[in-house]
Amino acid sequence: MNQLQKKVSKGWIIKALFVVFLVNQAKAQTAMVNIQSRHLTSLNGKWKVLVDPGGIGDWRKFWIEPNPEKKTDFFEYSFNGAPELNVPGDFNSQLRELTFFEGSVWYKKQFNVSKNKDSRLFLHFGAVNYIADVYLNGEKLGSHEGGFTPFQFEITDKIKEGDNTIIVKVNNRRLENGIPGYGYDWLNYGGITRDVSIIETQNTYIDDYFIQLKKGSLNTVLGWIQLKGVQSEQKIKVKIPELNIIYKAKTNKSGYAKLEFSSRFKLWSPDSPKLYKVTIESETDTIVDEIGFRSIETKRTEVLLNKKPLFIKAVNIHEENPLKKARAYSLEDDKLLLNSAKELGCNMVRLAHYPHNENMIKQAEKMGLMVWSELPIYQHIQFSDSLVPEKMETMLDEMIRRDKNRCGVVVWSLSNETYSDTPNRNEALIDLTKKCKAIDSTRLVVHVINTQGYNNNSFNVVDTLYNYSDLIALNEYIGWYIPWQGKPSEVKWKVDFPNKAVFISEFGGEALFGSKGVVDEAAYWTEEYQAQIYKNQIEMFKTIPNLSGVCPWILYDYRSLGRMHQVYQKGYNRKGLISDNGEKKKAWYIMNDYFNQK
């Protein structure tokens, strides 16, 4: 073997060892559900931070803050005197110098806890964007990848009586094989963006449960309960006092019990968002939830809610409070967005393009808004990378696990604007679809496509993924990215799936609030031009076969690095029906009138 071969061989060995090292890193545990019903200690509030643009924190071991012992000792890092950030919250909106930062920020929180020998303790994160490395008292608990779903670590045997220290390395730098990948059209808010809590449970606790109507049924619940702990075989009860239901069962040796019972439920709908108080009891634990019951399905060309045809009146929403110019996380933030959707006349919100916070889902359900929840599998995902399918499946599991008891969630969207010529795209997403339906068969599963051809004022709608999608969901921006090729009222449609309902998941154009001009010039971002797009689109909707709903892009103007017109955009996608200052554009009134008529 020559020297070059030896170097190449050595390089591959080092690379292989590095891959093994990464694989063997401790991963976060799947989070227990409905943490709001558990014994919580909040760790929200001020956390000290060290900004690490050079990425030196790992080799300097920022998770260990040593004290000088000799006169000659010194250390070139310290959390003492460091700035503080609010948790939950993104770091980009809290420190001006981090507005567009993508990299590592180290968070530190000290807290006091009293240990109980008969209980277990878990450290729970609502979400951290994008990769989190978590340390407790100088010991690494593990890591989590994915910016929009919860995770936890058990710390029962690692916590100390009295003072403890948590340090979290947060890195929001984009990855080629990340989900999403390098390119996407929203601000990459980094940080500990959702609640952090210590959860205390009994030694055996209710870890998870599923209580929803059986697919296609209006009166039969088909579900299950899962315990975790040493006493796995236990008697359990499900109580719904308003319906006089007390359902009894017993878990097996694995802590699992199947549920099946019937009743005359008052069904949840946008017009009557009925929720029942449901109590789940084991011999060692009790969980209380508010659960609604409804049926959602498609029958040939129609979407049926509770067996009745439904026209979906939706709007796209990003998880951003436009008035604060920050990631939305609080109930106050969520109400601002959802109330605006209700005022527009919506019965559904498409929460683009990632799972939004749990407050958003629950509040939408209470307000009678159906929810479309989506994975951040967006455009140029590296499906051929060997790690990507595993990441997609993990994010799918975490999204469904958190929100599967929210009847308001009617759609699991598994991808947006992916391309059929991307290597391994079809195989990876078809496999993901099958896994999704195996986990939860009670909701619609959808892929959103934007590659339909538009020639001679005709659409040609075809994609392999539509064979596996419950809706023909498509994004089209005729009048903005593509000019009209004829009259909107004369558009022709060739849909390769004539027995499926069609849903327009995105359409629209950009306008700066207050910019005035003629209706046929796009260059000045005028409200008149945007309004004309909406008038033309509404006229075109009449030509779409099997149309089951529409969803304009987007409710509010939102921050995006790729929008660099310094007069009209200034770092904002201006397709909002409402400006980032809360001003309604002319197009808002057109869409409001359309929804009211529907």
Side-chain angles (χ1 to χ4, degrees):
M1 184 181 290
N2 60 37
Q3 291 300 313
L4 178 60
Q5 289 174 319
K6 287 180 179 178
K7 288 181 179 179
V8 171
S9 176
K10 184 178 180 181
W12 277 109
I13 291 172
I14 292 172
K15 185 176 181 179
L17 290 173
F18 181 67
V19 170
V20 171
F21 170 78
L22 288 178
V23 170
N24 289 332
Q25 291 298 290
K27 290 186 177 180
Q29 303 159 358
T30 305
M32 65 184 76
V33 301
N34 190 12
I35 69 163
Q36 294 81 7
S37 181
R38 303 176 190 271
H39 187 270
L40 297 181
T41 300
S42 174
L43 297 184
N44 293 348
K46 300 290 186 181
W47 289 51
K48 291 185 177 296
V49 296
L50 291 179
V51 180
D52 186 15
I56 65 172
D58 287 312
W59 67 267
R60 280 189 171 165
K61 299 182 179 180
F62 279 7
W63 60 90
I64 301 173
E65 192 168 16
N67 295 313
E69 297 178 357
K70 297 179 293 185
K71 291 182 178 181
T72 55
D73 288 346
F74 64 89
F75 301 95
E76 294 190 83
Y77 69 92
S78 176
F79 284 93
N80 291 331
E84 293 182 327
L85 295 182
N86 292 317
V87 170
D90 64 272
F91 55 63
N92 306 88
S93 65
Q94 296 190 63
L95 288 176
R96 182 179 294 273
E97 60 267 33
L98 299 182
T99 300
F100 304 115
F101 182 72
E102 296 188 3
S104 295
V105 175
W106 296 75
Y107 286 73
K108 178 181 177 180
K109 181 75 169 181
Q110 292 180 302
F111 66 99
N112 188 285
V113 68
S114 296
K115 299 178 67 175
N116 184 341
K117 66 177 182 179
D118 296 323
S119 65
R120 299 168 69 174
L121 296 175
F122 298 85
L123 176 60
H124 181 279
F125 293 85
V128 175
N129 191 30
Y130 171 71
I131 292 178
D133 297 314
V134 183
Y135 300 83
L136 175 64
N137 299 327
E139 177 184 352
K140 186 171 185 179
L141 298 176
S143 302
H144 181 266
E145 179 174 346
F148 307 100
T149 46
F151 58 96
Q152 69 184 34
F153 303 94
E154 182 163 7
I155 57 174
T156 306
D157 298 327
K158 302 179 184 300
I159 208 80
K160 298 187 301 184
E161 187 72 31
D163 293 332
N164 292 265
T165 300
I166 295 171
I167 291 179
V168 183
K169 176 192 174 186
V170 179
N171 193 321
N172 70 327
R173 184 172 291 114
R174 303 171 198 227
L175 303 175
E176 183 178 14
N177 67 352
I179 303 176
Y182 279 150
Y184 43 90
D185 181 32
W186 63 87
L187 189 67
N188 184 19
Y189 288 108
I192 304 177
T193 55
R194 297 179 189 161
D195 296 330
V196 185
S197 307
I198 301 291
I199 304 174
E200 183 177 2
T201 71
Q202 298 297 314
N203 285 323
T204 301
Y205 63 95
I206 300 167
D207 180 59
D208 198 3
Y209 54 90
F210 183 56
I211 302 175
Q212 287 285 276
L213 289 179
K214 179 182 177 181
K215 181 71 172 182
S217 175
L218 299 182
N219 56 22
T220 300
V221 167
L222 184 63
W224 46 266
I225 291 175
Q226 180 68 58
L227 306 184
K228 273 194 176 181
V230 293
Q231 301 168 263
S232 295
E233 292 185 84
Q234 292 192 18
K235 296 176 183 178
I236 60 98
K237 293 180 183 177
V238 175
K239 299 178 180 179
I240 309 180
E242 191 173 341
L243 297 173
N244 296 316
I245 291 174
I246 302 178
Y247 179 84
K248 299 179 181 180
K250 187 176 181 180
T251 58
N252 61 20
K253 292 181 180 180
S254 299
Y256 177 87
K258 184 179 178 180
L259 310 175
E260 185 169 2
F261 57 87
S262 299
S263 185
R264 295 183 62 182
F265 298 102
K266 182 179 180 182
L267 299 175
W268 184 97
S269 72
D271 293 330
S272 179
K274 172 64 178 176
L275 300 176
Y276 291 94
K277 180 181 178 181
V278 179
T279 302
I280 305 109
E281 294 180 358
S282 71
E283 296 173 27
T284 54
D285 197 10
T286 299
I287 294 290
V288 178
D289 204 344
E290 286 186 296
I291 295 177
F293 301 95
R294 58 93 193 98
S295 169
I296 186 75
E297 57 193 330
T298 57
K299 186 176 182 180
R300 291 181 62 82
T301 62
E302 292 183 318
V303 176
L304 303 180
L305 178 68
N306 302 328
K307 304 295 184 181
K308 298 177 182 178
L310 170 76
F311 188 83
I312 300 173
K313 301 180 290 185
V315 71
N316 286 281
I317 296 179
H318 262 304
E319 193 184 43
E320 179 177 283
N321 184 323
L323 306 183
K324 295 179 180 177
K325 324 298 184 192
R327 175 70 74 199
Y329 68 85
S330 68
L331 185 58
E332 176 190 11
D333 295 336
D334 299 334
K335 284 182 176 180
L336 169 70
L337 298 170
L338 296 174
N339 284 332
S340 295
K342 287 285 285 189
E343 186 183 5
L344 183 63
C346 295
N347 57 19
M348 187 174 82
V349 287
R350 182 187 180 208
L351 302 183
H353 285 297
Y354 38 79
H356 289 211
N357 66 81
E358 198 166 0
N359 287 326
M360 181 81 85
I361 308 295
K362 290 186 173 183
Q363 187 62 28
E365 184 177 67
K366 290 177 181 178
M367 293 172 61
L369 285 165
M370 297 178 292
V371 170
W372 167 308
S373 189
E374 189 161 286
L375 291 177
I377 299 174
Y378 178 92
Q379 294 189 1
H380 301 285
I381 297 293
Q382 298 296 312
F383 295 104
S384 58
D385 186 291
S386 60
L387 296 178
V388 166
E390 180 184 350
K391 293 179 183 182
M392 293 194 308
E393 186 174 351
T394 297
M395 292 185 188
L396 174 72
D397 288 341
E398 292 174 346
M399 175 178 73
I400 294 177
R401 181 180 174 95
R402 192 193 72 178
D403 294 328
K404 62 184 174 296
N405 288 300
R406 305 280 66 81
C407 73
V409 178
V410 298
V411 173
W412 299 129
S413 176
L414 304 190
S415 67
N416 178 74
E417 296 186 352
T418 61
Y419 307 111
S420 58
D421 58 354
T422 304
N424 202 45
R425 174 264 209 173
N426 287 349
E427 295 83 351
L429 288 179
I430 290 169
D431 186 53
L432 191 70
T433 305
K434 293 176 180 178
K435 289 175 180 175
C436 180
K437 292 186 176 183
I439 297 170
D440 179 16
S441 65
T442 67
R443 291 170 170 88
L444 307 184
V445 177
V446 173
H447 294 277
V448 179
I449 308 298
N450 70 328
T451 54
Q452 60 278 347
Y454 178 61
N455 293 294
N456 298 320
N457 210 28
S458 297
F459 279 101
N460 183 26
V461 180
V462 57
D463 194 286
T464 299
L465 290 182
Y466 281 144
N467 289 303
Y468 303 88
S469 181
D470 290 320
L471 296 175
I472 305 302
L474 61 94
N475 298 343
E476 52 83 12
Y477 285 94
I478 308 303
W480 186 248
Y481 294 123
I482 301 175
W484 292 97
Q485 299 171 3
K487 293 181 179 179
S489 60
E490 296 177 356
V491 172
K492 305 299 182 184
W493 293 81
K494 181 185 176 183
V495 182
D496 274 15
F497 308 88
N499 294 323
K500 288 193 175 185
V502 175
F503 180 73
I504 305 300
S505 39
E506 292 182 29
F507 66 94
E510 296 198 40
L512 176 66
F513 177 81
S515 181
K516 306 297 181 184
V518 294
V519 299
D520 60 350
E521 291 187 20
Y524 303 102
W525 269 260
T526 66
E527 289 191 60
E528 286 78 9
Y529 188 86
Q530 184 191 44
Q532 188 61 44
I533 289 175
Y534 273 79
K535 291 176 182 177
N536 290 339
Q537 285 277 341
I538 289 171
E539 188 66 25
M540 184 188 70
F541 293 158
K542 300 173 186 177
T543 72
I544 302 175
N546 310 336
L547 183 65
S548 64
V550 300
C551 186
W553 186 271
I554 187 170
L555 185 61
Y556 279 92
D557 290 350
Y558 65 95
R559 299 171 74 186
S560 179
L561 295 183
R563 308 294 171 165
M564 295 182 285
H565 196 296
Q566 297 307 303
V567 176
Y568 300 112
Q569 292 178 309
K570 297 182 180 179
Y572 277 84
N573 186 314
R574 297 292 186 189
K575 293 187 184 70
L577 295 169
I578 309 174
S579 78
D580 55 300
N581 293 317
E583 302 136 327
K584 295 172 183 172
K585 304 177 189 177
K586 293 181 183 298
W588 185 95
Y589 297 95
I590 295 169
M591 204 65 219
N592 175 242
D593 184 60
Y594 175 75
F595 279 163
N596 287 338
Q597 290 182 29
K598 298 298 287 188

